[in-house]
Amino acid sequence: MTEVFPQKVYDVVVVGGGPAGLMASLCLTTYGFNILHIDERSHPTTAGRADGIQPRTIEVLRNIGGVSTSPIPGGPIAGQSPIAGGGVAKKMISQGVRVYEVAFWDPTATQKLARTSRAPSCPEFVDVVDNYTLLLHQGLIERAFLDEIEARRALLTDAFPTPRNGIFRPYTLLDCRTLPANASDPLGNTHPVQCVIEHGHSKAKHTIRSRYLLGCDGAKSHVRRCIAGGEVGDGEWKGAITMQGEATDIIWGVLDARVKTNFPDIKYKCLIHSKSEGSIMIIPREANLVRFYVQLQTTEGGQVVSIARDKATQDICIARAKKIFEPFELEFGYIDWFSVYQIGQRIASRYTLDHRIILGGDATHTHSPQAGQGMNISMLDMYSLAWKLNLVMKGLGKPEVLLPSYEHERRGVAEELLKFDSAYSRLFSGRGPDAKQLAGGVDADKFIQMFKQNAFFTSGCGAIYFANELNALPGARLLNGPHGRAFNPPGVKLVAGQRLTPGHVTRVADGNNVRLQQEVKMNGAFRIHVFAGDLVATKSALEGFAAFIDSPTSFFARYRPNPEVASSIVDGPAEVMNHDDHAKNTHTFNPFFTFLTIVGTHWYKWEIADLPSPLRLYRSHVYGDALFDHRVPEAGTNAPLHHKFGIDMQKGAIVVVRPDSYVGAIVELSEDGWLGLNDYFAGFLNEAPAKAKM
Amino acid sequence: MTEVFPQKVYDVVVVGGGPAGLMASLCLTTYGFNILHIDERSHPTTAGRADGIQPRTIEVLRNIGGVSTSPIPGGPIAGQSPIAGGGVAKKMISQGVRVYEVAFWDPTATQKLARTSRAPSCPEFVDVVDNYTLLLHQGLIERAFLDEIEARRALLTDAFPTPRNGIFRPYTLLDCRTLPANASDPLGNTHPVQCVIEHGHSKAKHTIRSRYLLGCDGAKSHVRRCIAGGEVGDGEWKGAITMQGEATDIIWGVLDARVKTNFPDIKYKCLIHSKSEGSIMIIPREANLVRFYVQLQTTEGGQVVSIARDKATQDICIARAKKIFEPFELEFGYIDWFSVYQIGQRIASRYTLDHRIILGGDATHTHSPQAGQGMNISMLDMYSLAWKLNLVMKGLGKPEVLLPSYEHERRGVAEELLKFDSAYSRLFSGRGPDAKQLAGGVDADKFIQMFKQNAFFTSGCGAIYFANELNALPGARLLNGPHGRAFNPPGVKLVAGQRLTPGHVTRVADGNNVRLQQEVKMNGAFRIHVFAGDLVATKSALEGFAAFIDSPTSFFARYRPNPEVASSIVDGPAEVMNHDDHAKNTHTFNPFFTFLTIVGTHWYKWEIADLPSPLRLYRSHVYGDALFDHRVPEAGTNAPLHHKFGIDMQKGAIVVVRPDSYVGAIVELSEDGWLGLNDYFAGFLNEAPAKAKM
């Protein structure tokens, strides 16, 4: 196979081939961009490393979907999305194992080690479809991403050649910078970022220009060091960006192994505290592997001391594990992976300096792996950034609003994680809040209580964003505007800045039972959910809204992409079966807004054709709300989702869901409401340059 | 690629590469046999033909599972099944579309055509997980089978070489016969079947010996003609086997096409009756195709007459469809497939003459395609036969009992189907029970009523088997035996001869929520479900049962396969994590029986180790019963599955499920009960020859 070399100009350069970089690459490829993705390793991960995928991440992966592999008789169908089904998520689910329950083992008055408590991994109050943690080694996760990226690149019409799976390896980043404006630089206005990369073997160097560069290159990020400048500090570079936080002296070993044991909960996630030998966490893994997190401490002169990091060998780790497991027997067989880490929490002082070179993932936050959060939050950093970059690069998003919102939203989540992780990992290691060894060993009760209290956060569903231009919450500028009072109608239980929670509905076009959350696959579009309640009561409001949408002043009419830019490989006009409407209404397609109409009146009692245009033209996104939901049994089959979301059947409501499936705004189904939406979108969208209008 | 030629001796020859033959091949490959599979077509189906997979078939396909594609770090794991997840079923589900709802369209007093009724495709009272019909063309279905057969063949240690996917094509069957006993024939005792096949191009002939030969070669079966002898009759061979039944003069066209229309239910299954132009059924299909079944009739001199079969062109079919659809518009685009059929029902007078050459699928029953049953029942014929052949070929099953039970059970289902189909297809064509044209056109009310009444049967869940040696029902010899009164304890709602209905349970070994039905993948084993109820109440009964199982007189000890025969590629000893038990108890493995213990007492309150051996050794088949089931809301999380199945918590029960997931016997959890099971298995199993005992 001929070697493929990088081009000179890309839309985006992604540095780092781990989960964060892969998520960036997958999303941006889906949005139709040309990506240079480099990694300094020669090969993808083959074992170990991160292994836990949390419920919210599974939900996101399901929404990313997969390229359909079905042959299409008669050739491709215009407007039919090539993305179908669960794709990446289903592949991972079929390869991994699930943790539904966590067991806590501690010394008791009568037993050296006993199960003292249990807890669901994802308790019932967390409203999520995949209510478990999925475990598989990082290599399998990366493989699923790589395959999907390759499948999606094949759908791009003008993709640059890349090596198989899209990553150039081994390539090291030598330098990156945003060039100052310079009239003689033809790329200066559009592609101000320049980086220099070097092939790991040939040492050939390439200078690349791009619009953006994403640093997903881990805790020791080259990108971060390039832009931060400065010098070596306490284990970290000091410069314009510093890593803030602290490390402890607590050392843990990590081991993926197959074992024989008479410990009954070997296939559970277990948090095991011995009386005086330290703690272990075990996690079941694919192929009968077990991951062991083993605290590496010993007792010297009556004092508990950590084993020095450079002396923490695999053999010592195994010996400590056997000791902590006593009185249960534990024999180690095949060892798949071994590593050592030191507990600490650090966060970058800034995620970017100029909103052109942007950091994410481990390059911005590091912490202990025990809570199973790192890879999840890193992937979701890039998932969150990508849709904003998409809008900006297509001339629709205001960069000065959208790009800062990335750090605003994601840093908030990272800080929350670090706070939790610091307390959790210390307590699990038998340390108090002051990091001193606890007198009686681990405070099991407190630890278990903390675990349970944090389940909402650790499921990923507790990653909440606060008021800003994108989240129409009290405190947002928008709510003081002329239509501010139309936001967040009383009783509605959905919250801007939080994810859209699940619900089953009937898709009226074909009568299928579907998950509303997953009906629009990640395509960069805002999902405008029109909850129409009782059609008799809302008829005139619905007609008003439809007329507004069709009017030239609506957000729908004003914010359209440059037509010469492919908007997303998932695009396609709303599927129209009615050929009269079809001929007349191609103007009703705008790839950045999808309308979903959910009607409370039983769907046997009305027709799609009864809905006003353009709502009825989104035929495959019209839903009936009559499927029993065990979370609202009192509603029976009488509009249970309206009931669950607290939407008044007499009034309806409009729920705007952002391209990352977070609720952005909830407004009344009234003129104030839709004018409020105009204000909402005006906060962060631009009309495309006149020459480029459709 | 070098051409592969057939060997001289096989376990089984399968003639016909359609769904029935593929099911036979897949099952028998899973059971470890060498199959010669031939088809006279050069290529698999590429379009059209059968397209509807019913709920029960999906359940079966899920149970067949799929070969895991995950790489196993550290190499294969002894005892770990290579079959995981949904395999064939998931592949088909990802490629097809679903029908949840059926719409009925008829002329009314005011409208030429109006929706007069709706019905769920699979109503709530049918207790099935996949409550829809799955639609995709037969080629995709065949492809999923072919891929899975190839993956499973790769796991066989002594498989003969075959072409890719396992089917020799194009090969025609010239002759087949069972040879009479002949002392000089070295294969006479073991491989009495001889067939002659001919390559379609080279005309090279091969004479093959086998133990069995299965005729899955369709309505015009060569196999049937070979063994029936005789001569041409009224469109059919007359001989030792005749096709009994009748044809009508009603002609239908079938068309797979993409259309533009303003008919609102184009993505539903619709049953459309026009006032005077005949009827249409439409079914949505993958890739925006629509299947049309179009009644081809015309009016001549005031009389409705069918269009002659040889004049039924695609153009006429399209013209009729447009006419029947009036006043809706219907434009045809890409046409994927077209065919014509004549309504009739026929069933073979015998399925086999000697229990060596055995017919199934369309070779034994033909009928109209509109009820979407044919392919399903054909596949399930072979699914049903394969496990019986497996037991017989491994020296364990009594051929004189098991092989006749195939025709007994499957003919019953086929007769039921023909009865339904005859009434249904005539009524749909506007004919009365006397096949005469109905005065007022179609009797819509009667038709809709019939459709709804038959949903249990058409879902596949109503395929019920009657009392015989395998189904311990009133009327079976067994129930008059010494322990007969222990069968079918009062209150139990499961019924021998019917499928095990679904239920969610918690797998105690790892705390996973799982579907009990799908916990043991198709591996030829009987699944002994021990419903243990309240452990306090059933303790001594459980211990008694366990002691019985361990005793040399139990069915478990007596019926074991010849150890030199691979029992199934899905085999593996019960997974044992407790290494003490593991070393001591390898004798507790018998690949033909799997124990599943379902405990009513909340699983937080006991340990797997509390259960008596050998039940506790089947660690990954011990379950807690505490997951809410909306079908028995009154039980809450308090043993809902015991409640649903009507099992007394104080007494427990043992439910034997056959390898095809039909309930075989239900007995008390008492000495009478397990001695009754000994009688049950003695009815159709043999002890393996002494020399071959383990």
Side-chain angles (χ1 to χ4, degrees):
Chain A
M1 204 172 130
T2 331
E3 194 179 344
V4 182
F5 296 102
Q7 307 287 308
K8 298 214 168 299
V9 183
Y10 285 88
D11 291 316
V12 180
V13 174
V14 177
V15 183
L22 287 165
M23 178 65 94
S25 194
L26 178 56
C27 292
L28 292 170
T29 300
T30 306
Y31 297 143
F33 295 107
N34 255 314
I35 310 301
L36 173 66
H37 196 178
I38 65 166
D39 192 273
E40 62 184 8
R41 297 172 301 163
S42 296
H43 301 286
T45 303
T46 54
R49 302 174 66 114
D51 62 1
I53 302 185
Q54 300 299 350
R56 165 63 184 162
T57 311
I58 302 174
E59 183 175 278
V60 165
L61 294 173
R62 283 193 190 274
N63 197 245
I64 290 174
V67 171
S68 167
T69 54
S70 296
I72 300 179
I77 303 165
Q80 172 138 318
S81 169
I83 307 295
V88 193
K90 281 198 179 149
K91 190 174 220 175
M92 293 182 194
I93 289 170
S94 76
Q95 296 183 320
V97 300
R98 304 177 184 195
V99 165
Y100 283 85
E101 286 259 338
V102 181
F104 301 86
W105 288 75
D106 299 285
T108 66
T110 56
Q111 286 175 282
K112 199 166 178 185
L113 205 55
R115 192 194 303 108
T116 54
S117 186
R118 301 186 196 247
S121 167
C122 180
E124 174 69 9
F125 72 83
V126 181
D127 187 3
V128 72
V129 172
D130 297 279
N131 58 340
Y132 52 84
T133 305
L134 179 67
L135 283 306
L136 69 168
H137 81 73
Q138 189 176 318
L140 294 172
I141 296 166
E142 292 180 6
R143 172 55 47 207
F145 271 102
L146 290 167
D147 290 347
E148 190 62 30
I149 290 168
E150 188 170 32
R152 293 189 185 200
R153 275 184 52 77
L155 298 175
L156 292 181
T157 47
D158 54 356
F160 293 148
T162 64
R164 193 170 131 65
N165 295 133
I167 300 194
F168 286 86
R169 2 175 137 247
Y171 274 93
T172 307
L173 181 86
L174 297 183
D175 183 51
C176 65
R177 64 188 64 215
T178 305
L179 299 178
N182 175 349
S184 68
D185 177 0
L187 290 168
N189 281 329
T190 57
H191 295 72
V193 178
Q194 177 177 289
C195 67
V196 182
I197 62 174
E198 181 185 78
H199 190 273
H201 305 145
S202 73
K203 302 297 173 193
K205 291 184 179 57
H206 301 265
T207 299
I208 317 281
R209 293 292 290 271
S210 65
R211 304 170 74 176
Y212 295 89
L213 183 145
L214 308 183
C216 303
D217 50 347
K220 296 180 179 168
S221 169
H222 287 295
V223 176
R224 192 180 68 223
R225 290 177 184 190
C226 281
I227 60 174
E231 56 194 35
V232 176
D234 68 335
E236 249 319 317
W237 230 251
K238 296 268 189 194
I241 299 177
T242 56
M243 293 303 285
Q244 301 177 327
E246 53 183 59
T248 67
D249 64 342
I250 310 169
I251 300 287
W252 288 69
V254 202
L255 200 62
D256 291 344
R258 278 207 276 276
V259 295
K260 261 191 197 171
T261 183
N262 56 358
F263 179 72
D265 287 358
I266 194 70
K267 293 199 152 196
Y268 283 75
K269 176 172 175 177
C270 293
L271 301 157
I272 305 168
H273 296 122
S274 69
K275 194 164 179 64
S276 55
E277 303 292 340
S279 300
I280 275 188
M281 179 165 84
I282 61 169
I283 297 175
R285 278 269 303 282
E286 79 284 358
N288 277 10
L289 291 169
V290 180
R291 164 152 296 188
F292 290 82
Y293 289 100
V294 185
Q295 189 176 5
L296 298 178
Q297 66 172 36
T298 185
T299 312
E300 281 177 11
Q303 290 293 306
V304 173
V305 292
S306 285
I307 293 170
R309 187 166 181 157
D310 56 353
K311 290 186 180 145
T313 63
Q314 178 174 308
D315 286 348
I316 285 179
C317 188
I318 288 175
R320 296 308 305 165
K322 287 176 171 228
K323 198 79 191 160
I324 300 168
F325 257 68
E326 287 178 0
F328 295 100
E329 293 169 64
L330 184 65
E331 285 175 48
F332 281 80
Y334 167 74
I335 308 279
D336 197 46
W337 186 67
F338 170 69
S339 185
V340 171
Y341 67 93
Q342 187 164 1
I343 287 188
Q345 292 80 29
R346 288 175 181 278
I347 188 164
S349 59
R350 301 177 69 178
Y351 279 31
T352 180
L353 297 177
D354 61 359
H355 301 297
R356 284 287 180 180
I357 299 175
I358 307 174
L359 305 171
D362 287 359
T364 47
H365 41 74
T366 62
H367 42 84
S368 68
Q370 286 140 316
Q373 298 299 311
M375 175 174 63
N376 292 272
I377 206 169
S378 295
M379 289 197 285
L380 297 179
D381 281 350
M382 288 299 119
Y383 172 68
S384 178
L385 176 59
W387 71 266
K388 296 172 180 179
L389 275 182
N390 177 45
L391 287 176
V392 169
M393 287 197 279
K394 287 180 186 150
L396 212 72
K398 294 182 180 171
E400 71 278 14
V401 179
L402 283 171
L403 298 182
S405 78
Y406 160 66
E407 182 169 340
H408 174 255
E409 295 184 342
R410 298 307 298 172
R411 169 189 285 280
V413 174
E415 283 172 351
E416 197 63 25
L417 169 60
L418 263 57
K419 215 165 62 185
F420 162 68
D421 183 67
S422 172
Y424 180 81
S425 63
R426 280 174 177 77
L427 204 57
F428 191 42
S429 305
R431 310 292 173 100
D434 54 358
K436 293 228 176 70
Q437 187 70 29
L438 291 172
V442 169
D443 185 340
D445 289 346
K446 198 164 173 186
F447 175 74
I448 294 168
Q449 188 192 358
M450 175 181 283
F451 180 90
K452 293 180 181 177
Q453 277 171 353
N454 282 278
F456 184 51
F457 183 76
T458 55
S459 74
C461 300
I464 287 172
Y465 301 152
F466 298 101
N468 63 18
E469 297 291 334
L470 294 166
N471 308 316
L473 284 167
R477 188 196 48 76
L478 190 63
L479 268 70
N480 300 321
H483 310 292
R485 58 145 223 86
F487 286 82
N488 303 313
V492 175
K493 291 170 186 153
L494 293 169
V495 185
Q498 302 193 21
R499 57 191 261 285
L500 179 73
T501 49
H504 272 86
V505 287
T506 304
R507 188 165 59 202
V508 177
D510 62 8
N512 274 214
N513 299 356
V514 297
R515 294 179 190 165
L516 184 60
Q517 265 189 334
Q518 298 294 346
E519 275 290 281
V520 179
K521 292 295 173 193
M522 181 194 77
N523 63 356
F526 286 84
R527 303 158 190 182
I528 318 288
H529 295 76
V530 182
F531 283 88
D534 177 344
L535 280 185
V536 174
T538 60
K539 184 169 192 291
S540 67
L542 272 187
E543 285 168 359
F545 178 61
F548 162 75
I549 290 298
D550 267 344
S551 75
T553 57
S554 75
F555 59 87
F556 183 74
R558 288 166 63 194
Y559 308 120
R560 289 173 175 270
N562 295 337
E564 71 270 19
V565 180
S567 43
S568 153
I569 63 162
V570 195
D571 278 352
E575 188 195 347
V576 176
M577 294 301 295
N578 184 316
H579 58 191
D580 284 338
D581 285 338
H582 183 56
K584 285 184 228 143
N585 288 295
T586 47
H587 78 277
T588 54
F589 176 63
N590 176 339
F592 286 105
F593 301 96
T594 294
F595 293 94
L596 302 96
T597 307
I598 304 99
V599 177
T601 309
H602 194 286
W603 63 281
Y604 277 15
K605 298 185 182 158
W606 48 272
E607 301 286 326
I608 293 175
D610 298 343
L611 298 175
S613 169
L615 299 182
R616 70 159 176 266
L617 299 182
Y618 288 76
R619 275 189 76 80
S620 40
H621 294 309
V622 174
Y623 305 93
D625 181 9
L627 296 174
F628 178 83
D629 184 335
H630 75 281
R631 289 180 183 273
V632 282
E634 65 278 15
T637 55
N638 185 16
L641 196 60
H642 280 71
H643 191 82
K644 176 172 161 177
F645 288 168
I647 291 165
D648 188 326
M649 283 283 282
Q650 298 307 307
K651 295 182 178 168
I654 306 173
V655 177
V656 175
V657 172
R658 314 177 345 168
D660 55 6
S661 62
Y662 271 73
V663 175
I666 306 155
V667 295
E668 291 174 355
L669 180 58
S670 71
E671 184 165 18
D672 254 351
W674 52 77
L675 294 176
L677 289 189
N678 253 14
D679 295 349
Y680 170 74
F681 287 113
F684 56 88
L685 295 184
N686 283 315
E687 293 188 48
K691 69 165 179 57
K693 274 208 186 145
M694 285 174 92
Chain B
M1 205 171 132
T2 333
E3 192 181 344
V4 182
F5 295 102
Q7 307 285 309
K8 298 211 167 305
V9 182
Y10 285 88
D11 291 317
V12 180
V13 174
V14 177
V15 183
L22 288 165
M23 177 64 94
S25 195
L26 177 57
C27 292
L28 292 170
T29 301
T30 306
Y31 297 143
F33 295 106
N34 255 312
I35 310 301
L36 173 67
H37 195 178
I38 64 167
D39 192 273
E40 63 183 7
R41 297 173 301 163
S42 296
H43 301 286
T45 302
T46 54
R49 302 175 65 114
D51 62 1
I53 302 185
Q54 301 298 349
R56 165 61 184 164
T57 311
I58 301 175
E59 183 175 278
V60 164
L61 294 173
R62 284 193 189 274
N63 198 246
I64 289 175
V67 170
S68 167
T69 54
S70 297
I72 300 179
I77 304 165
Q80 172 138 322
S81 168
I83 308 296
V88 192
K90 282 197 179 149
K91 189 174 221 175
M92 294 182 194
I93 290 170
S94 76
Q95 296 184 318
V97 300
R98 303 177 183 195
V99 166
Y100 284 84
E101 287 258 338
V102 181
F104 302 86
W105 288 76
D106 299 285
T108 66
T110 57
Q111 286 176 282
K112 196 164 180 188
L113 206 53
R115 192 192 304 107
T116 53
S117 184
R118 300 188 196 247
S121 167
C122 180
E124 174 69 11
F125 73 83
V126 181
D127 188 1
V128 72
V129 172
D130 297 280
N131 58 339
Y132 52 84
T133 304
L134 178 68
L135 281 308
L136 69 168
H137 80 73
Q138 189 175 319
L140 294 172
I141 295 166
E142 292 181 6
R143 172 55 46 205
F145 271 102
L146 290 167
D147 290 348
E148 190 62 31
I149 290 167
E150 187 169 33
R152 295 191 181 198
R153 276 183 52 79
L155 298 173
L156 292 181
T157 47
D158 55 356
F160 293 147
T162 64
R164 192 170 132 65
N165 297 131
I167 299 192
F168 286 86
R169 337 174 157 260
Y171 274 95
T172 308
L173 183 86
L174 297 182
D175 182 52
C176 65
R177 62 188 65 214
T178 306
L179 300 177
N182 174 351
S184 68
D185 176 0
L187 290 167
N189 281 328
T190 57
H191 295 73
V193 178
Q194 177 177 291
C195 67
V196 182
I197 62 174
E198 180 185 79
H199 190 273
H201 306 145
S202 73
K203 303 295 174 193
K205 291 183 179 58
H206 302 265
T207 300
I208 316 281
R209 293 293 289 270
S210 65
R211 302 168 76 175
Y212 295 89
L213 183 144
L214 308 183
C216 303
D217 49 348
K220 295 181 179 170
S221 170
H222 287 297
V223 176
R224 193 180 67 220
R225 291 177 184 191
C226 280
I227 61 174
E231 57 195 35
V232 177
D234 64 337
E236 252 314 320
W237 230 250
K238 297 268 189 191
I241 299 177
T242 54
M243 292 304 285
Q244 301 177 326
E246 55 183 60
T248 67
D249 64 342
I250 310 169
I251 300 286
W252 288 69
V254 201
L255 200 61
D256 290 345
R258 278 206 277 276
V259 295
K260 263 191 199 172
T261 182
N262 57 357
F263 180 71
D265 287 359
I266 194 71
K267 292 197 153 197
Y268 282 76
K269 176 171 174 177
C270 294
L271 301 158
I272 304 168
H273 295 122
S274 68
K275 195 163 176 65
S276 56
E277 303 293 339
S279 300
I280 275 189
M281 178 165 83
I282 61 169
I283 298 175
R285 278 270 302 281
E286 78 284 356
N288 278 9
L289 292 169
V290 179
R291 165 153 295 188
F292 290 80
Y293 290 100
V294 185
Q295 189 175 4
L296 298 179
Q297 67 174 34
T298 185
T299 311
E300 281 178 11
Q303 287 294 305
V304 173
V305 293
S306 286
I307 292 170
R309 186 166 184 158
D310 55 355
K311 291 188 180 144
T313 62
Q314 178 174 310
D315 287 345
I316 286 181
C317 188
I318 287 175
R320 296 308 304 163
K322 289 175 170 233
K323 198 82 192 154
I324 299 169
F325 256 68
E326 286 177 1
F328 295 100
E329 291 169 66
L330 183 65
E331 283 175 48
F332 281 79
Y334 168 75
I335 308 280
D336 198 46
W337 186 69
F338 170 70
S339 184
V340 170
Y341 66 93
Q342 186 163 1
I343 287 188
Q345 292 80 29
R346 288 175 182 277
I347 188 164
S349 58
R350 300 177 69 179
Y351 280 30
T352 179
L353 297 175
D354 61 359
H355 301 298
R356 285 286 179 181
I357 298 174
I358 306 173
L359 304 171
D362 287 359
T364 47
H365 40 74
T366 61
H367 41 86
S368 68
Q370 285 138 316
Q373 297 299 311
M375 176 175 61
N376 292 272
I377 207 171
S378 294
M379 289 197 285
L380 297 178
D381 281 351
M382 287 299 119
Y383 173 70
S384 178
L385 175 59
W387 72 266
K388 296 172 180 179
L389 275 182
N390 177 44
L391 288 174
V392 169
M393 286 197 280
K394 287 180 185 148
L396 211 74
K398 293 180 179 170
E400 70 278 15
V401 179
L402 282 171
L403 298 183
S405 77
Y406 159 67
E407 182 169 339
H408 173 254
E409 294 185 343
R410 297 307 299 173
R411 167 188 285 281
V413 173
E415 284 171 349
E416 197 63 23
L417 168 61
L418 264 58
K419 215 164 62 186
F420 161 68
D421 182 68
S422 172
Y424 180 80
S425 62
R426 279 175 177 76
L427 204 54
F428 190 42
S429 306
R431 310 292 175 103
D434 55 358
K436 291 228 176 73
Q437 188 70 27
L438 291 172
V442 170
D443 185 339
D445 289 344
K446 196 163 174 188
F447 176 72
I448 294 168
Q449 185 192 4
M450 175 182 282
F451 180 89
K452 293 180 182 178
Q453 278 172 353
N454 283 278
F456 184 52
F457 183 74
T458 54
S459 74
C461 299
I464 288 172
Y465 301 153
F466 297 101
N468 63 20
E469 296 293 333
L470 293 166
N471 308 317
L473 284 167
R477 186 195 49 75
L478 191 62
L479 268 69
N480 299 322
H483 310 291
R485 57 145 224 85
F487 285 82
N488 304 312
V492 174
K493 290 171 187 153
L494 292 169
V495 184
Q498 301 192 22
R499 57 190 262 284
L500 179 72
T501 48
H504 272 87
V505 288
T506 305
R507 190 164 58 200
V508 177
D510 61 7
N512 275 214
N513 299 357
V514 297
R515 293 181 189 163
L516 184 61
Q517 264 188 336
Q518 297 294 346
E519 275 289 283
V520 179
K521 293 293 174 193
M522 181 194 78
N523 63 355
F526 287 85
R527 304 158 190 182
I528 318 288
H529 295 76
V530 183
F531 283 87
D534 177 345
L535 279 185
V536 174
T538 60
K539 185 168 191 293
S540 67
L542 271 188
E543 284 167 358
F545 178 61
F548 161 76
I549 291 298
D550 267 346
S551 76
T553 57
S554 76
F555 59 87
F556 184 75
R558 288 165 64 194
Y559 308 119
R560 290 172 174 271
N562 295 338
E564 71 270 19
V565 180
S567 42
S568 154
I569 62 162
V570 196
D571 277 353
E575 187 194 346
V576 177
M577 296 300 298
N578 183 317
H579 56 191
D580 285 339
D581 285 338
H582 183 58
K584 285 185 227 141
N585 288 296
T586 47
H587 79 278
T588 54
F589 175 64
N590 177 340
F592 285 106
F593 301 96
T594 295
F595 292 94
L596 302 96
T597 308
I598 304 99
V599 177
T601 309
H602 194 285
W603 63 282
Y604 277 16
K605 298 186 182 160
W606 48 271
E607 301 285 328
I608 293 176
D610 297 343
L611 298 175
S613 167
L615 299 183
R616 69 161 176 264
L617 300 181
Y618 289 76
R619 277 189 74 79
S620 41
H621 294 310
V622 173
Y623 305 92
D625 180 9
L627 296 174
F628 178 84
D629 185 334
H630 76 281
R631 288 179 183 275
V632 281
E634 65 278 15
T637 56
N638 185 17
L641 196 59
H642 280 71
H643 191 82
K644 175 173 163 175
F645 288 170
I647 291 166
D648 188 326
M649 283 282 282
Q650 299 307 307
K651 294 182 180 169
I654 306 173
V655 177
V656 175
V657 172
R658 316 178 342 170
D660 55 7
S661 62
Y662 272 73
V663 175
I666 307 156
V667 295
E668 292 176 356
L669 180 57
S670 72
E671 184 164 17
D672 254 350
W674 52 76
L675 293 176
L677 289 189
N678 253 14
D679 295 348
Y680 171 74
F681 288 112
F684 56 89
L685 296 184
N686 284 315
E687 294 188 49
K691 69 165 178 59
K693 273 206 188 149
M694 285 173 93

